[in-house]
Amino acid sequence: MLIVQKFGGTSVGDVARIQNVAARVNRVRAQGHQVVVVVSAMAGETDRLVGLAHQIMELPPPREMDLLLSTGERVTIALLAMALEARGIPAQAFTGRQVGIETDSEHTKARIERVTGERLKECLAAGSVAVVAGFQGISRASDVTTLGRGGSDLTAVAVAAALQADRCDIYTDVDGVYTADPRIVSHARKLDRISFEEMLELASLGAKVLQTRSVLFAMRHNVPLQVLSSFSDEPGTLVTEEDKEMEQLAVSGVTYDRNQAKITIHQVPDHPGVASQIFQKVSGANILIDMIIQNVSHQGTTDISFTVPRADLSQARKLMADISVDDKPLNVAVEEDIAKVSVVGVGMRSHSGVAAQMFDALAKDKINILMISTSEIKISCVINERYTELAVRALHDAFGLAGPDKGKKK
Ligand code: ADP
Ligand code: ASP
Ligand code: MG
């Protein structure tokens, strides 16, 4: 079999852990499989590099930012290839460019257009382990690009799809996908299986255990995907097609996102075309707007609020400053101390009253809801950031997600 294994930042956080990864790769190889390993930068390294850039300027040029951020993964591929060689396992390390991970030019959040993978095939054919830098690619202009935070997951899935691998195993610091972040809800339950759609919602709503685009890519290209621990041999979570059993529960998971910010534009003239002017500007800059609320009109003006990823806030603010309506600048206010909590489940399609139950659970803990959005299989509420953990635990309990064996430890 051909197996793609991906190890995240904590799993390659120091030399001892890189040795642990080499041992795990060796175990799979010793079973007779071909292995491609994708690795992240050492834990904290990408944040450190972002911090360095921001010491110089608030909005660094994205092209140079990518060049900087891509260095973290270069370090770990080289070290892992050495650790494998040191064990007598032939291995070769490759950057994104070297394995032909071709992307568009949207620096810092580039999309993969194609993976040629020629060098990978040669490496595997020669009986070596291929070690690939996650999170990076190359644009048509031959510039280094990165795939958005957490993007090594996407590299792994895209490489698995290109090589038609039999499995894509994502090794991380938890042993699977849980009903909620196990760091916040100690009695969260590990899911044996989760549908692609639910995983996609959980990821896009903040559960960083898998990067959103990697789930989408795996779904589209039918890549068999599982999440496992780098530090134990527990069975992990399989991400698969939906089935009847999954629909029995209304809610499968609770998640949160602290990386959002709320922008409110006060007293916008209430006439056609204003919202379009504002939102076209923001989305034109490839900033993902999530929730939008327009208040009732009062004396010909209205307030519009919307959320954007916090990482894009500076840029969004700058764009707002360039807009004028009826020759007047916008009156913009920003709130960063917000969080979005969400419940997700394919069962919502057949269960009613989930929203009411969610609002009730938040009300019981006196948590005020600032914004609401729903889709077929999720409900999200924006709340004050300070109540995030309380809200996640309350929702986890309200929907009865705790594991039957562990009980509630609250
Ligand atoms: P890696 O560096 O291996 O890519 P990440 O930090 O990106 O790891 O993702 C793993 C983390 O995701 C876990 O440590 C956990 O805190 C967090 N997480 C959030 N929600 C969930 C969830 N529902 N199930 C499992 N882990 C979750
Ligand atoms: N190192 C990158 C990040 O921290 C990519 C990844 O770890 O997946 O976002
Ligand atoms: Mg990750």
Side-chain angles (χ1 to χ4, degrees):
M1 287 214 286
L2 170 56
I3 298 171
V4 175
Q5 297 185 302
K6 179 258 168 177
F7 293 88
T10 319
S11 314
V12 293
D14 57 32
V15 168
R17 290 189 168 175
I18 290 175
Q19 300 278 20
N20 170 53
V21 169
R24 284 190 166 255
V25 171
N26 189 27
R27 251 176 29 200
V28 173
R29 191 168 173 273
Q31 291 163 3
H33 304 305
Q34 289 184 310
V35 187
V36 176
V37 197
V38 175
V39 283
S40 293
M42 289 180 171
E45 178 61 9
T46 310
D47 286 338
R48 189 183 74 86
L49 296 169
V50 170
L52 289 179
H54 285 155
Q55 280 178 42
I56 295 176
M57 60 201 299
E58 196 188 345
L59 284 174
R63 177 179 175 277
E64 280 60 38
M65 193 66 174
D66 274 351
L67 199 55
L68 176 70
L69 297 190
S70 67
T71 60
E73 272 73 9
R74 282 189 173 228
V75 171
T76 45
I77 52 167
L79 292 175
L80 179 58
M82 290 173 196
L84 288 164
E85 287 282 345
R87 288 173 180 261
I89 308 155
Q92 264 191 302
F94 299 100
T95 63
R97 175 202 295 268
Q98 287 172 316
V99 292
I101 299 187
E102 298 176 357
T103 72
D104 62 17
S105 312
E106 229 13 90
H107 282 287
T108 75
K109 41 189 155 188
R111 285 172 194 278
I112 294 182
E113 289 178 342
R114 198 164 77 111
V115 177
T116 56
E118 291 311 319
R119 300 281 303 271
L120 287 180
K121 289 174 203 154
E122 287 167 23
C123 174
L124 293 173
S128 298
V129 171
V131 183
V132 179
F135 179 53
Q136 55 181 262
I138 191 84
S139 72
R140 246 175 251 159
S142 212
D143 289 323
V144 175
T145 52
T146 64
L147 310 176
R149 296 305 304 268
S152 300
D153 296 336
L154 176 58
T155 305
V157 171
V159 163
L163 299 178
Q164 294 184 309
D166 297 282
R167 259 174 31 212
C168 181
D169 295 345
I170 306 286
Y171 287 89
T172 182
D173 53 7
V174 285
D175 57 8
V177 179
Y178 280 70
T179 47
D181 186 343
R183 286 179 208 286
I184 288 201
V185 182
S186 57
H187 52 275
R189 185 168 45 89
K190 185 167 72 184
L191 300 163
D192 301 330
R193 291 176 318 133
I194 185 166
S195 71
F196 278 116
E197 263 190 276
E198 285 171 325
M199 193 59 240
L200 194 59
E201 287 285 6
L202 283 179
S204 68
L205 295 169
K208 64 176 186 158
V209 61
L210 283 176
Q211 189 227 25
T212 311
R213 282 193 196 158
S214 73
V215 183
L216 199 59
F217 204 104
M219 188 160 104
R220 286 201 184 132
H221 295 84
N222 244 324
V223 176
L225 186 64
Q226 56 175 330
V227 178
L228 309 131
S229 165
S230 295
F231 307 110
S232 81
D233 292 322
E234 292 290 311
T237 301
L238 205 62
V239 189
T240 81
E241 296 294 327
E242 181 181 329
D243 63 36
K244 281 269 165 290
E245 209 180 296
M246 292 174 177
E247 283 173 22
Q248 282 170 9
L249 277 179
V251 169
S252 321
V254 179
T255 188
Y256 64 96
D257 184 356
R258 286 194 171 105
N259 296 314
Q260 297 274 316
K262 181 176 165 206
I263 297 182
T264 301
I265 307 173
H266 291 288
Q267 294 167 324
V268 201
D270 193 12
H271 57 67
V274 176
S276 142
Q277 193 185 346
I278 296 168
F279 292 118
Q280 270 190 8
K281 195 100 183 179
V282 181
S283 55
N286 223 341
I287 296 176
L288 220 69
I289 298 168
D290 182 23
M291 297 187 184
I292 303 177
I293 287 186
Q294 177 170 338
N295 283 346
V296 274
S297 189
H298 180 67
Q299 292 179 341
T301 67
T302 180
D303 291 353
I304 300 179
S305 298
F306 57 96
T307 58
V308 295
R310 222 175 271 181
D312 292 326
L313 182 60
S314 306
Q315 201 192 351
R317 255 181 164 155
K318 221 171 133 206
L319 294 169
M320 295 294 111
D322 289 342
I323 301 178
S324 55
V325 175
D326 297 345
D327 289 330
K328 281 196 216 119
L330 298 178
N331 176 2
V332 179
V334 167
E335 280 168 73
E336 288 192 66
D337 58 345
I338 59 151
K340 183 168 59 180
V341 287
S342 312
V343 297
V344 171
V346 287
M348 271 184 220
R349 294 195 191 110
S350 48
H351 290 70
S352 58
V354 178
Q357 216 179 328
M358 178 174 190
F359 304 153
D360 183 53
L362 295 175
K364 276 195 180 124
D365 275 316
K366 304 210 165 17
I367 300 169
N368 197 25
I369 299 170
L370 307 176
M371 296 170 112
I372 300 167
S373 83
T374 64
S375 78
E376 207 189 6
I377 66 161
K378 73 115 201 276
I379 305 167
S380 302
C381 294
V382 169
I383 59 168
N384 188 304
E385 185 178 13
R386 111 169 63 120
Y387 302 121
T388 313
E389 302 197 356
L390 180 64
V392 171
R393 292 194 190 111
L395 295 172
H396 196 265
D397 284 351
F399 288 100
L401 296 177
D405 47 348
K406 292 184 188 165
K408 290 180 188 170
K409 282 194 220 155
K410 217 174 170 181

